[in-house]
């Protein structure tokens, strides 16, 4: 992975907007029933954010998924951070149709979109790799996708950052879910 060092002023503005709107952003990230990386502030750590489930504790969640499953579906979003479309942050927070009708910076999703673009010379494709702000942005988008996947279904699975692992009783169920996952990811241009 190629880590990025964004413009410090642009990064500060993004971090300040995230800090100011943390309760709303945290609530949105909690929408995912699968995420092991719904970030929380890390008061005493080396980073600003820490995962809701520590890395060493993820094995317990993986065992739970595998315990009653005949088939395991593992999916990793290829080039997740470099392929994130900055407009999709607004889509995740507001809904795609609503966000496309309202481009006002007064809406949090649109503000984050503009701030992300300012960190990379106005580019709308890709977000920097390495910063906790980028981890949070990806979580906002993927939490929205997770909520859509879970709607009306009882699924057995986990997601850590951009890695999915789901258990199924049949191959057909796993293939059907994979098709749904691909459709949802494509809706966010991932």
């Amino acid at each position: 992975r190629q880590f990025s060092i964004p413009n410090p002023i642009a990064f500060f503005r993004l971090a300040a907007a995230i800090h100011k709107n943390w309760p709303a952003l945290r609530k949105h990230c909690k929408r995912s029933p699968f995420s092991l990386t719904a970030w929380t502030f890390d008061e005493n750590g080396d980073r600003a954010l820490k995962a809701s489930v520590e890395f060493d504790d993820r094995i317990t969640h993986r065992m739970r998924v595998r315990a009653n499953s005949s088939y395991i579906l593992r999916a990793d979003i290829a080039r997740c951070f470099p392929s994130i479309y900055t407009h999709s942050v607004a889509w995740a927070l507001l809904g795609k149709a609503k966000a496309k009708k309202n481009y006002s910076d007064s809406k949090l999703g649109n503000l984050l979109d503009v701030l992300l673009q300012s960190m990379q010379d106005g580019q709308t494709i890709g977000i920097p790799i390495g910063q906790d702000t980028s981890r949070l942005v990806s979580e906002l988008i993927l939490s929205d996708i997770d909520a859509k996947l879970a709607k009306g279904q009882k699924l057995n699975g986990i997601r850590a950052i951009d890695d999915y692992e789901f258990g199924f009783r049949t191959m057909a169920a796993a293939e059907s879910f994979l098709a749904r996952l691909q459709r949802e990811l494509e809706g966010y241009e991932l």
Side-chain angles (χ1 to χ4, degrees):
R1 294 183 183 144
Q2 185 175 355
F3 290 96
S4 303
I5 301 173
N7 177 296
I9 295 169
F11 178 79
F12 174 79
R13 289 180 181 140
L14 176 64
I18 288 171
H19 185 266
K20 179 180 177 185
N21 295 285
W22 177 250
L25 297 172
R26 175 78 176 123
K27 182 179 177 183
H28 185 83
C29 288
K30 286 185 172 185
R31 294 181 60 214
S32 172
F34 317 122
S35 180
L36 303 182
T37 50
W39 304 104
T40 60
F41 273 123
D42 189 0
E43 305 274 333
N44 303 315
D46 295 335
R47 299 192 74 132
L49 300 176
K50 67 178 179 178
S52 52
V53 175
E54 295 294 329
F55 186 80
D56 292 342
D57 296 332
R58 293 179 189 174
I59 190 71
T60 304
H61 295 274
R62 292 180 74 204
M63 289 187 319
R64 178 186 48 79
V65 169
R66 294 171 178 218
N68 297 318
S69 303
S70 300
Y71 297 89
I72 300 299
L73 171 74
R74 295 182 70 195
D76 178 14
I77 301 171
R79 298 181 30 85
C80 183
F81 289 77
S83 66
I84 287 177
Y85 185 45
T86 62
H87 296 334
S88 66
V89 177
W91 300 350
L93 293 174
L94 300 169
K96 194 171 188 177
K98 198 176 197 180
K100 286 186 170 219
K101 288 181 183 175
N102 185 345
Y103 293 104
S104 167
D105 289 355
S106 67
K107 300 291 185 188
L108 178 56
N110 294 333
L111 174 63
L112 295 176
D113 175 11
V114 168
L115 293 171
L116 286 164
Q117 289 178 50
S118 72
M119 288 195 335
Q120 45 198 19
D121 298 324
Q123 296 294 313
T124 59
I125 299 295
I127 61 174
I129 297 173
Q131 293 77 33
D132 286 355
T133 53
S134 294
R135 289 175 153 194
L136 177 66
V137 166
S138 71
E139 187 68 24
L140 292 169
I141 295 165
L142 295 175
S143 290
D144 196 55
I145 290 170
D146 293 354
K148 289 176 180 176
L149 290 169
K151 191 173 185 176
Q153 299 218 355
K154 184 172 168 61
L155 294 169
N156 177 25
I158 58 173
R159 178 180 54 77
I161 305 177
D162 65 341
D163 298 319
Y164 285 88
E165 186 168 316
F166 281 82
F168 299 93
R169 295 199 183 271
T170 67
M171 176 74 84
E175 289 172 342
S176 175
F177 178 79
L178 179 59
R180 287 182 55 225
L181 176 60
Q182 287 174 323
R183 277 192 308 273
E184 290 299 336
L185 291 171
E186 286 170 2
Y188 285 84
E189 304 201 11
L190 290 171

